[in-house]
Amino acid sequence: MKTILLKSGYSIPVMGLGTWLMNGRECFDSVLMALENGYRHIDTANAYENEDDIGQAIQTSGINRKELFLTSKVWYQKLRFKDVIDQCHSSLEKLRTDYLDLLLIHWPNKFIPMNETFKAFEKLVEEHLVRSIGVSNFTINHLEEALKSTVLPIAVNQVEFHPFLFQKELYQYCKEKQIVIIAYSPLARGKVFESDLLQKIGQNKDTGPGQVALAWLIKKGLVVIPKSSSEEHIIANLGALSITLSDQESSMIDNISENQRFINPSWSEFDA
Ligand SMILES: NC(=O)c1ccc[n+]([C@@H]2O[C@H](COP(=O)([O-])OP(=O)(O)OC[C@H]3O[C@@H](n4cnc5c(N)ncnc54)[C@H](OP(=O)(O)O)[C@@H]3O)[C@@H](O)[C@H]2O)c1
């Protein structure tokens, strides 16, 4: 699988499996299917309450840990120094691993100083429990503050990003700062399948709108983490890796954006 080099010096596979809202047997089966079909990057979070299912699937797959890229996230209410350390240890135990490839602040929280959270991240990196660190749901203002709050490179910002939400300014800013964007909800939670333009571009390439949306993100240098619990979809999404979009097709997709956000939870007021 193609990878992108992070500012931390480690590489991240451009496609991973999203696991939000999957738990128990469904999560176990999906992760195992993904691993058996060539995925090596799994995205989870302490708040998803599925790290144990993922750990079991990894163990069952028998795949060498060194081949995998595992991301977890610390919840916005758990960003105090001790809470971060405790959450990371809990993630490691449930995932049955000695280290996380990437640990993220899940959502910003203005009531907890960023440098306190990052001090904990720094300790975890020093102890080799975490390789790269990053953030999620951060705006440019949050990133400005984050960059001043730690000696570690902020390797990624995981945000909602898909053809209906092309976050141009954030994209440019991250490019300048060499912060890789991980696009979450890259299929717009299913809405991409309704787009006439994505369907038309897909038909010309003998593929579907989902693969076209993912290929558009990958062409921009983003990492994608589509979620699926269906083997057919898990395999189909990998097809995006072998699609080449022309610059013209790409710019037509750039113009779809309706600034439509699907993830807007009540707790995002904590970053106001
Ligand atoms: N950091 C954050 O705050 C944050 C927030 C949201 C999401 N995320 C991460 O991003 C991941 C992906 O986002 P998401 O789960 O919101 O949505 P998504 O990946 O954009 O869309 C998932 C939906 O698309 C369907 N799907 C997937 N592949 C398909 C295909 N080839 N054909 C038809 N339907 C297909 C899935 O159904 P099936 O299961 O039936 O295939 C599911 O209903 C999450 O799972 C999570 O890991 C992070």
Side-chain angles (χ1 to χ4, degrees), residues 29-267:
D29 287 344
S30 306
V31 172
L32 189 57
M33 278 189 289
L35 294 172
E36 285 172 348
N37 283 291
Y39 285 71
R40 290 294 178 266
H41 167 187
I42 309 292
D43 181 81
T44 182
N46 212 273
Y48 297 173
E49 297 184 350
N50 61 12
E51 291 170 311
D52 194 47
D53 309 314
I54 295 170
Q56 280 185 48
I58 292 170
Q59 201 169 45
T60 305
S61 77
I63 293 172
N64 194 317
R65 174 66 183 89
K66 284 190 209 132
E67 287 183 38
L68 299 172
F69 191 99
L70 302 180
T71 301
S72 194
K73 316 181 190 88
V74 287
W75 193 232
Y76 79 98
Q77 290 161 317
K78 301 277 183 184
L79 296 176
R80 291 281 175 200
F81 183 91
K82 187 174 178 308
D83 291 337
V84 173
I85 304 286
D86 289 348
Q87 267 197 101
C88 179
H89 281 281
S90 155
S91 296
L92 292 171
E93 193 182 327
K94 289 178 180 154
L95 289 166
R96 297 156 173 72
T97 182
D98 296 339
Y99 68 95
L100 294 173
D101 291 279
L102 182 61
L103 184 63
L104 309 181
I105 294 180
H106 203 148
W107 289 86
N109 181 344
K110 67 180 177 186
F111 298 108
I112 300 179
M114 265 188 220
N115 58 4
E116 178 175 342
T117 307
F118 284 127
K119 279 277 167 281
F121 277 27
E122 287 162 17
K123 183 174 191 290
L124 293 166
V125 169
E126 264 167 39
E127 291 174 351
H128 306 288
L129 299 178
V130 169
R131 288 192 163 175
S132 305
I133 66 146
V135 295
S136 179
N137 298 298
F138 270 40
T139 60
I140 292 175
N141 285 343
H142 295 127
L143 287 171
E144 290 279 341
E145 193 187 336
L147 289 168
K148 284 187 252 157
S149 304
T150 176
V151 292
L152 292 174
I154 306 283
V156 313
N157 186 18
Q158 184 180 123
V159 293
E160 182 174 347
F161 208 116
H162 46 69
F164 304 101
L165 185 65
F166 176 15
Q167 305 203 51
K168 279 187 206 149
E169 276 180 41
L170 184 66
Y171 172 68
Q172 279 309 333
Y173 178 87
C174 288
K175 215 169 171 179
E176 279 162 28
K177 303 287 181 191
Q178 293 170 276
I179 297 170
V180 170
I181 292 185
I182 300 180
Y184 80 60
S185 306
L187 301 170
R189 317 213 71 212
K191 193 181 173 203
V192 295
F193 299 98
E194 296 162 19
S195 158
D196 291 340
L197 177 67
L198 296 175
Q199 267 175 30
K200 196 162 155 251
I201 295 175
Q203 271 161 13
N204 293 336
K205 298 180 187 298
D206 214 11
T207 188
Q211 288 95 326
V212 173
L214 297 173
W216 174 74
L217 293 161
I218 293 168
K219 184 175 161 88
K220 292 196 176 310
L222 272 59
V223 170
V224 296
I225 47 168
K227 171 264 167 189
S228 180
S229 53
S230 131
E231 185 156 32
E232 188 192 334
H233 294 166
I234 286 172
I235 295 171
N237 293 341
L238 282 176
L241 299 170
S242 38
I243 293 173
T244 312
L245 295 176
S246 67
D247 290 343
Q248 197 197 356
E249 286 167 332
S250 204
S251 77
M252 281 191 312
I253 302 172
D254 288 357
N255 292 324
I256 293 182
S257 190
E258 299 162 350
N259 238 1
Q260 201 174 357
R261 210 174 266 280
F262 292 89
I263 308 289
N264 208 357
S266 56
W267 58 80

